[in-house]
Amino acid sequence: MSPHRIVSFVGRAAELARLDAELAGVRAGSPRILLVDGQPGIGKTALVRRFLSRHPGLTVLWASGEQNESTLSYGTFDQLHKADAVPADPLEAGAALLEKLGDLQDRGELVLVLDDAHWADTASLHAITFALRRLRVDRIMAIVIVRDPADQRLPEGLRRLLAAESTARISLAGLAAEDIQGLSETPLPLRVASRLRDHTSGNPLHARALLEQVPGELLADLGSPLPAPRSYAMLVLSRLAGSAVRTQHLVEAMSVLGASAPLWQAARLAALDHPVAALDEAVAAHLLEERSTGNGIVVAFPHPLIQAAVYQDLGPALRMALHGRAAEIVGDELARLNHRLHSTAHPDDTLVAEFAAFARREANAGLWSSAAVHLTRAARLAPAEDERARLTADAIEALLLDGQVGEAVTLTTELPETCPAAVSGYARGAVAYVTGRLEDAFELLTDAWKHCAPDEEPVLAARIAENLAALCSMRSRGAQGAWWAEQALRLAPDRPGMGMARYFRLAGLGISGSIDKALDLIPSLPNPEIASPFELDAICGRGVLRTWADDLKGALRDLSGVVAASAGRSAPFRLLAASMLGYAEYRAGHWDDAVVHAEISTSIADDAGQAWLAAIAHGLAACVPAARGEWDHATAHIRAACGVRPDSTVALTTACSAEAHLAAAQGSHDQVITALKPLADLGHQDGSHEPGVIAWQDLLADALIAVGADEEAEAVLVPCERLARERGRHSVLAACARVRGNLLAFRERHSAADAAFQEGLTHCARISMPFETARLRLAYGGFLRRWGKRALAAEQLEAARDALERLAARPYLERCERELAACGLRASSGHRRRGTLTPQEQAVARLAATGISNRQIARELMLSTKTVEYHLSHLYAKLGVTSRAALIATFGNVRDPG
């Protein structure tokens, strides 16, 4: 396999988004100064160039400092402002640059880039700093690229400017493993990319060097150390060769021990009784560094590539011998196993079993990534196909729980052809399930259950049953899902894994209408922060049940505690916990918090490839932006929900409901009906029709009433009312009362409509759901106003307005304001007060009153022309004048501030 062909730019989505956001501010008339810093090779210049390539209409000025020109005065400045003669004074040069920047803005937004500022000459830096400090309202983005903003080669004024609170900073760290994957034009497994990321600290320059120079099969061999890039390695080995023999032995021993190790271990492996002199020389040569700890002296490599260069230069015989001796010295179990592996050409069954045992202990602790790596290693070392198959299936499960779905899909190709049917069906079914192929998953898993002997293989059977429980719940087979969850808990109640059998038992019962029964099954549970993984699973389930049962206070307590304690849990668990907390916060009116947790859940869903849950996460995340009138944000979530929607009734319901919420906020009744038609056509389904789980019937009925289809609305409303009364769901009964009131008002049964709205308020008094209550009051107030009862209408509408203002529910607030205006209660707009002039406005006014031009004022005050124009527009408004002549006539009336 040849080395990989690489691409020029990957990743940095968050940084590019940050640059885009700053540019939006510039376009709104606010200048931005941005600092982009990071170590050499980290991709600072590449990031800025990619950003500029995304905005081809920008005017760009680019200057770069050069190391061999750092003493050439105005060498860098001349790249920005070419002129026959550059002023000798940096202030004059800065003023000239400021004037040029003002002229260039006439073409549109301007970006000034100063690359490698640490190599720029001092005069240029002073002039540029002077200009940057005087940007006020200019449409200019200035980007300063530097390794370290505290570099003493930068003038103090520029260092202060870069450290200012108003300066945005983007500090580039190493690329993530997923981005390292993108560097290669050919597929690069995530485990390989993760290893390469750790090896190079994510430095794109070093990672590219390895991808270009190292054969693909060596990169893919997790058991073999990676080399350093050739040029770097040559420098390291040259320094090592110039050292004393004892120093060479110490550094070589360290390369086998790892990135760092206690000095006594390195000395013992190098057979040095007195290692201090060797350590001194290695530190002086920048081959090693000393770190003092509470447990003695630790020796470390300054960079992973130094260790790689030395290790790669060892001959096979010396390398294996050192690993064999290291296995007898180190105390860490995994380190011993790895040293034993690298000390022999033929691993034995005992070593394979020890690797597998270690991996399973990692899984028990929720360390899924580590478990996957070592289970995969054990599987590849195992001589027997049956053992290899089971270890591979275990590794696939660990990868799925860690969110490495692509890796899990790839690993299924390593299942042996003679793999037992139960093992193969489970592994492939679990992959199909997480990737959203639920129909395939159900067939594979049910077939696996048929071929499994639960009494003989209880853990495998429990894994199959837990996945079937999740599948059934997602497909609206609540009771069946609860039964499968009970089988999983009966067979292996304490097994490691997804850790959600208790959740799916409770959720299955809940969506099938047995919330109270499910709550009765839950024993007394501790606080989430001290709960075991299995107790945390149950607390999460209880929190969701409480959300559906209108106990939002209890739900928020449970779910917020679960989210806080979910570090180390599986990706699906963390996703569900964050998503359900966001939904509870939405219903409780904690919308800012809901947005945060919704974004967390959608990020996990997208980043961890959880297609089976992504539609739910994105659908719920659309609720707040839809209600706030943030159309683009809500639409993006809805598109994501529809784009990944698996064959799942719950996912369908969530996505359709989200579309309907957005359409309802926009006042588009036909779109509400279109969005919800698939749910209306389903017939009764667990979850989708269970009151309190996902709200949509009230939206559909209201839309039908609005288009005059009152009989169809009645048909939707009646079964929802009946179930809500049976379950005692006050939130749903309040929503139904709102719809019932609207329906009766449409039929001109005004007294009955009034009674329905009043009944809704009674239900609202028993819940804490401000948005639902505000929507009811808004509808009631509108009805009362049309019925001619304006005073009563105003009372309801004002209460609704207060709640909608707190929620920032703009579309509904605008409707409320229109209703209030119809009641004759429109608030007066008032009059803008004439303000006093600021000192800078006074200075501009005085010069303008003399009759000189805006450009001359800018030169006089050393401001940009745009800033002068901005100040003039403001002082005109404050003084109540509209022309330069009026300003001259009235300037004597200007009042000093204060």
Side-chain angles (χ1 to χ4, degrees), residues 1-4 209-216 218-219 226-228 230:
M1 191 185 298
S2 62
H4 292 251
L210 288 177
L211 286 169
E212 289 176 332
Q213 298 167 13
V214 178
L218 182 56
L219 289 174
L226 288 173
R230 290 191 193 104

Side-chain angles (χ1 to χ4, degrees), residues 59 63 250 270 279 281 310 366 412 415 622 720 726 731 735 824 859 878:
T59 301
L250 181 66
L279 178 60
E281 186 176 16
V310 177
T412 58
L415 288 167
C720 185
E726 289 178 7
S731 62
R859 289 176 183 169
K878 290 180 178 180

Side-chain angles (χ1 to χ4, degrees), residues 572-588:
F573 184 89
R574 288 183 286 116
L575 191 165
L576 267 176
S579 188
M580 293 300 102
L581 174 57
Y583 184 50
E585 289 167 333
Y586 164 71
R587 297 185 71 178

